[in-house]
Amino acid sequence: MLQPTSVCNLNCAYCYVPDRKKSGVMSDAVIKASALYAFASAPAQKSFKFLWHAGEPLAAGIAFYRRAFAQISDVAPDGHHIVYAIQTNGTLINRDWCKLFSEYNVDVGLSIDGPASLHDSHRKTWRGRGSHERAMRGYRLLLEHGIYPGAICVLTKNSLSCPDAIYDFFVESGFTSIAFNVDETEGVNTNSSLAEAEAAYRFFMQRLWDRWREDDGKLYIREFRQTLNCIGGLKSDPGFVREPDEVLPMGIITIAKDGSISTFSPELASTESERYNNFVIGNVLRDAPLDVAGSVAFQKINSDVLVGRNNCKDQCAYYSLCGGGFQSNRIAEHESFEATETVTCRLHRQILADVIIEKLSGETRQNASERAMISAG
């Protein structure tokens, strides 16, 4: 994951990224060093994904990406498959951007929170204006060019009373894939609107599930699909444990615009901590992967993440379906990786799992009853 710039043209209420008015983009030297670092970090790997994220990536400009893509291609080992992805708020998309995305087959993710009334209540410009209209204009341009973005929708307290409106918006707008993030305490976002919203979250997911099943799951909803996969894994193998990238050392490598390296959770790159060296474990301009893996900062973080994961394993009944992720939330809420339960894991793992298991059980009972009635008839 690469941060081309911290600048963003929006001032979203729940954003965790600092310095969103600070100009500057990742230098050519850092781009080249980042690519070399990535390839050296997994020499046997033949496929690499470079995701441009944090801040508004399109604020770096089209010329920046043409240079970046060329530099990465120039240093990529022969036979390697390179995938580029960008997560954008969509407001800067025009036909030139669409041409670039098509030319390089860029995977585009669009950050949009549903219908205008919900989206504009949190995703505002620096002047306090809504951004929904411009984001949807960008989305329509993408569709015109044969580009079908996945959506990331952040759930806030306001969202939880509107499951039907949110579901209808994404289906009627033609989205085929959606991921729900939650308003989280992390980075510079020091308060979450969902801190006391467990009942509302449960209601939202229950209703969303009903709508989704009525449509035979045509819309890919990340939270449902991933949890179902884990339930299936646990059913076939009692020893199954979910293993999110956030618990794997170097499972996610995040490189900030100055070349600083962090791992485990992308949000940590935007978080300060004296205890953990601000989560910086090296810099691509001076450090090789082996140097980073042997650094004091990485060893401390890695050790504490493992302790936290083991604590979850010992204490939490949902561990098999979670695997002990959400590292940035542990830091934000407890200032330590060794901590366990967070607001996000209660919502997005525990309650979500309860809802899905309850719904599946109800469907099983209903199907059994219907079969019995058919047999009796």
Side-chain angles (χ1 to χ4, degrees):
M1 182 174 290
L2 304 176
Q3 182 193 48
T5 180
S6 61
V7 168
C8 188
N9 60 324
L10 298 186
N11 183 28
C12 300
Y14 45 65
C15 186
Y16 63 86
V17 180
D19 301 326
R20 283 173 286 134
K21 284 189 173 183
K22 192 173 182 178
S23 61
V25 298
M26 181 178 281
S27 69
D28 289 358
V30 171
I31 294 170
K32 181 178 180 180
S34 297
L36 289 170
Y37 183 92
F39 299 134
S41 69
Q45 189 168 305
K46 297 299 182 182
S47 180
F48 287 81
K49 186 172 188 174
F50 293 89
L51 170 60
W52 305 88
H53 199 358
E56 170 46 47
L58 302 196
I62 290 176
F64 169 88
Y65 288 100
R66 289 199 174 277
R67 292 198 315 275
F69 295 164
Q71 287 179 306
I72 294 171
S73 179
D74 285 346
V75 301
D78 292 340
H80 279 47
H81 177 60
I82 307 299
V83 176
Y84 298 115
I86 285 180
Q87 186 65 37
T88 174
N89 62 41
T91 61
L92 301 179
I93 293 175
N94 56 28
R95 295 189 184 279
D96 290 335
W97 277 111
C98 292
K99 291 176 183 177
L100 179 80
F101 298 153
S102 296
E103 181 179 348
Y104 288 92
N105 198 28
V106 178
D107 291 338
V108 181
L110 189 66
S111 299
I112 191 157
D113 290 353
S117 58
L118 291 172
H119 179 99
D120 286 344
S121 64
H122 295 282
R123 300 186 64 80
K124 299 178 183 293
T125 68
W126 289 95
R127 294 186 177 183
R129 297 172 181 171
S131 61
H132 190 268
E133 183 178 352
R134 291 170 62 193
M136 289 302 292
R137 180 182 62 198
Y139 171 63
R140 288 189 290 270
L141 283 172
L142 291 172
L143 297 185
E144 286 179 20
H145 286 78
I147 301 167
Y148 301 92
I152 289 183
C153 173
V154 177
L155 297 176
T156 63
K157 188 175 181 179
N158 294 342
S159 310
L160 299 183
S161 61
C162 307
D164 289 290
I166 289 175
Y167 184 84
D168 288 339
F169 167 80
F170 285 107
V171 170
E172 292 169 5
S173 298
F175 285 91
T176 58
S177 172
I178 181 170
F180 289 103
N181 289 348
V182 293
D183 174 10
E184 300 172 282
T185 302
E186 58 188 359
V188 297
N189 185 37
T190 57
N191 294 288
S192 167
S193 64
L194 301 183
E196 303 294 334
E198 294 183 9
Y201 178 89
R202 184 183 297 274
F203 162 79
F204 178 90
M205 286 300 175
Q206 287 171 334
R207 181 56 184 162
L208 190 70
W209 175 274
D210 291 342
R211 294 295 308 277
W212 186 64
R213 295 294 261 191
E214 288 168 5
D215 281 349
D216 295 322
K218 292 179 182 178
L219 177 64
Y220 180 91
I221 298 179
R222 179 187 65 185
E223 283 60 43
F224 291 162
R225 288 297 184 188
Q226 289 186 353
T227 305
L228 285 171
N229 287 341
C230 291
I231 291 173
L234 191 59
K235 188 174 181 180
S236 61
D237 175 12
F240 170 86
V241 175
R242 186 176 191 162
E243 196 170 57
D245 289 340
E246 283 190 73
V247 305
L248 302 176
M250 308 302 176
I252 301 173
I253 298 174
T254 302
I255 303 173
K257 65 181 181 180
D258 67 353
S260 297
I261 305 166
S262 60
T263 188
F264 290 112
S265 176
E267 292 83 1
L268 294 174
S270 301
T271 304
E272 294 183 353
S273 171
E274 184 176 346
R275 178 180 184 180
Y276 293 111
N277 193 43
N278 293 335
F279 308 102
V280 174
I281 57 176
N283 190 292
V284 294
L285 293 174
R286 64 172 183 269
D287 299 312
L290 286 178
D291 299 324
V292 172
S295 69
V296 173
F298 172 72
Q299 292 296 326
K300 171 61 176 173
I301 293 171
N302 186 41
S303 174
D304 285 6
V305 167
L306 181 59
V307 170
R309 194 180 188 198
N310 286 332
N311 288 340
C312 288
K313 181 180 180 180
D314 293 340
Q315 300 172 23
C316 184
Y318 298 84
Y319 179 72
S320 296
L321 301 178
C322 174
F326 302 119
Q327 307 302 338
S328 63
N329 304 112
R330 298 171 193 250
I331 294 298
E333 295 183 30
H334 305 293
E335 300 183 354
S336 173
F337 290 117
E338 298 177 16
T340 55
E341 191 174 86
T342 65
V343 170
T344 304
C345 80
R346 284 200 300 274
L347 297 174
H348 240 29
R349 289 291 186 267
Q350 299 178 20
I351 294 178
L352 179 65
D354 285 345
V355 167
I356 293 175
I357 291 169
E358 289 166 4
K359 289 292 186 179
L360 289 174
S361 298
E363 291 171 9
T364 300
R365 289 192 296 270
Q366 181 178 353
N367 292 337
S369 176
E370 290 174 354
R371 287 195 298 269
M373 291 176 64
I374 293 172
S375 298

